[in-house]
Amino acid sequence: DVGVNPRHFMNLEVDVRGVFLGCASREELHATHAALQSAIEDGSLSPVVGSELPLSEVQLAHKEVMQPSSGGAVGNIVLVP
């Protein structure tokens, strides 16, 4: 069980979205992944990258997810080999 207090988001003017595909068939998952890949390739979907960290700094990346040093999350954290 994950509890979320919506009051934490009110002053941040953020939009929180999520997708759960737990009941999707293998074919539906494949179609979803293909559509996402296509959208990334044609530029209609572009993930926001806040920072890139080497894989060796995975502990720092986890800390940044849980308690961002910038005071607020800005984009995704990408771990690179």
Side-chain angles (χ1 to χ4, degrees):
D1 183 30
V2 177
V4 176
N5 184 341
R7 291 176 189 235
H8 294 155
F9 301 105
M10 289 179 179
N11 291 333
L12 300 176
E13 295 185 25
V14 297
D15 186 10
V16 179
R17 299 176 190 216
V19 176
F20 176 69
L21 301 173
C23 297
S25 69
R26 182 178 297 264
E27 293 79 18
E28 290 169 324
L29 289 174
H30 179 72
T32 299
H33 293 149
L36 288 170
Q37 184 65 37
S38 176
I40 290 171
E41 289 172 357
D42 72 18
S44 60
L45 175 65
S46 55
V48 177
V49 176
S51 63
E52 293 184 14
L53 294 171
L55 187 57
S56 61
E57 294 189 36
V58 67
Q59 289 178 327
L60 174 60
H62 181 72
K63 288 179 185 176
E64 284 296 316
V65 168
M66 301 307 291
Q67 295 178 325
S69 60
S70 65
V74 179
N76 298 293
I77 297 172
V78 177
L79 294 172
V80 292

